[in-house]
Amino acid sequence: MVKIEQFKASTLEMLANAIADIDPGITGSVIHKMLLQSQIEDISFNEQFLAKRKKLFNAFADYQNKNHCANNIILFIQNILSPQRYINNVEMFNSIKAEVNKQLAFEGLYVDDTNQIISVEKASKISDVQIKVDGLKAKLIEQGAHQLVFSYCNAELLANNYFHSVLESSKGLIKRIQDLAGVSYDGQNLIEKVFKDDEPILIVNNFQSKSEKDEHRGFRNLLIGIVAMFRNPTSHELKVEWNMSEQDALDILAMISYCHRRLDNAQKIRLE
């Protein structure tokens, strides 16, 4: 296993508090069992009047001092958050995982829905971690959305602002195409000129066979659809009134993420 760098003492403290205090079903005996299962010594086990959170913090801190890493602390978190333990109490599971993820964010880590630890951009301030476990940004992380989706609308995602997350991300997609093509056109005009059938500026495949040209055309039409829905200046008034659901935002941002992945391999074959 790759070495996981030691957590800050404040992270250990807040993780211990979240795990020990939120779920009354996580008793002292459960913590003791999970510590042993995770190969962490329960050094405060015999201190009868010590609070659960303090015992857990002591065990975490002792493990780190001896091993100079956080690997088994992560293993403990995965054990305590095993989905099987919460099959009949999903709400409690989500509450604990949300608090754990808020603290792990300061270490650049995140527990996804499959109980796996993934790397994320390390948080440095409170606003970086003000996300819900069932929030838009968390779900996009779990889906493996393209990093540029987050780059263009991070503040909106943190606020769970669905419409503006989509709007800003679509603007970012347009800006990337402008940069790749080296042009200043905007909106549908941009897409039609950059990805036109004859002598396009950008291609996303070899653009040789009929099927490749059909794919090129389909990609262009997908981009035009995104532009028409979210970047057409004549429909601003309608868009302001659009009550977008989280699922709508997830579906649309997934399309934008797909477009970014195709653009990762785009080739510029002529100058404008």
Side-chain angles (χ1 to χ4, degrees):
M1 178 185 291
V2 176
K3 179 180 178 181
I4 300 173
E5 295 299 321
Q6 295 185 66
F7 293 165
K8 296 183 290 291
S10 57
T11 300
L12 296 182
E13 179 184 3
M14 298 309 296
L15 283 172
N17 291 352
I19 293 168
D21 292 346
I22 294 175
D23 182 2
I26 300 179
T27 62
S29 61
V30 169
I31 289 174
H32 177 68
K33 176 184 175 182
M34 291 295 176
L35 284 171
L36 297 182
Q37 187 176 331
S38 308
Q39 300 179 43
I40 298 175
E41 184 181 358
D42 190 356
I43 62 171
S44 304
F45 178 65
N46 292 321
E47 298 184 41
Q48 184 177 356
F49 298 106
L50 197 64
K52 291 185 297 180
R53 65 171 73 177
K54 185 61 177 176
K55 288 184 177 183
L56 189 53
F57 171 79
N58 289 347
F60 285 168
D62 179 70
Y63 170 82
Q64 281 204 156
N65 289 336
K66 290 176 179 176
N67 296 277
H68 309 292
C69 69
N71 289 54
N72 286 29
I73 295 172
I74 286 297
L75 179 59
F76 175 88
I77 290 171
Q78 290 175 306
N79 287 333
I80 208 76
L81 288 178
S82 171
Q84 290 178 312
R85 298 187 66 248
Y86 290 94
I87 194 69
N88 295 317
N89 197 345
V90 176
E91 184 175 349
M92 180 65 73
F93 173 76
N94 287 336
S95 295
I96 297 175
K97 189 158 80 78
E99 293 305 313
V100 166
N101 275 332
K102 287 177 183 178
Q103 300 309 318
L104 289 180
F106 289 104
E107 307 295 340
L109 299 172
Y110 180 85
V111 184
D112 68 14
D113 275 350
T114 65
N115 205 26
Q116 298 302 304
I117 301 294
I118 60 176
S119 296
V120 296
E121 185 177 353
K122 186 178 290 190
S124 59
K125 54 186 183 296
I126 292 175
S127 61
D128 289 342
V129 295
Q130 289 178 330
I131 58 174
K132 301 177 182 178
V133 145
D134 60 347
L136 189 59
K137 185 176 182 180
K139 290 183 178 179
L140 286 167
I141 290 172
E142 289 167 8
Q143 289 177 3
H146 196 285
Q147 187 57 42
L148 288 178
V149 172
F150 303 105
S151 298
Y152 290 118
C153 61
N154 193 56
E156 290 78 14
L157 285 169
L158 287 169
N160 279 336
N161 187 327
Y162 304 139
F163 173 76
H164 285 97
S165 293
V166 169
L167 179 61
E168 294 305 314
S169 194
S170 65
K171 289 179 182 178
L173 180 62
I174 295 302
K175 179 65 166 57
R176 189 181 186 197
I177 294 170
Q178 290 172 331
D179 292 343
L180 287 171
V183 298
S184 58
Y185 308 119
D186 196 8
Q188 185 169 336
N189 187 40
L190 167 73
I191 306 303
E192 290 177 342
K193 287 183 178 294
V194 170
F195 294 98
K196 63 182 181 179
D197 287 340
D198 298 320
E199 297 184 346
I201 298 174
L202 295 180
I203 56 174
V204 293
N205 55 33
N206 291 328
F207 199 65
Q208 296 295 318
S209 67
K210 181 180 183 302
S211 62
E212 287 171 341
K213 292 181 178 180
D214 287 343
E215 181 185 40
H216 174 91
R217 188 177 301 111
F219 183 64
R220 181 190 65 210
N221 291 339
L222 175 60
L223 292 170
I224 288 174
I226 292 171
V227 168
M229 291 180 73
F230 306 108
R231 294 280 286 129
N232 182 354
T234 63
S235 61
H236 279 176
E237 183 176 354
L238 176 62
K239 287 185 288 191
V240 168
E241 298 174 355
W242 189 347
N243 183 21
M244 182 177 291
S245 70
E246 180 185 73
Q247 190 60 57
D248 287 342
L250 282 169
D251 290 344
I252 297 164
L253 288 169
M255 286 192 291
I256 293 174
S257 176
Y258 169 78
C259 291
H260 277 300
R261 293 195 195 287
R262 296 307 303 267
L263 290 172
D264 285 344
N265 299 314
Q267 302 173 64
K268 185 176 181 179
I269 60 173
R270 73 171 179 87
L271 298 174
E272 174 62 5

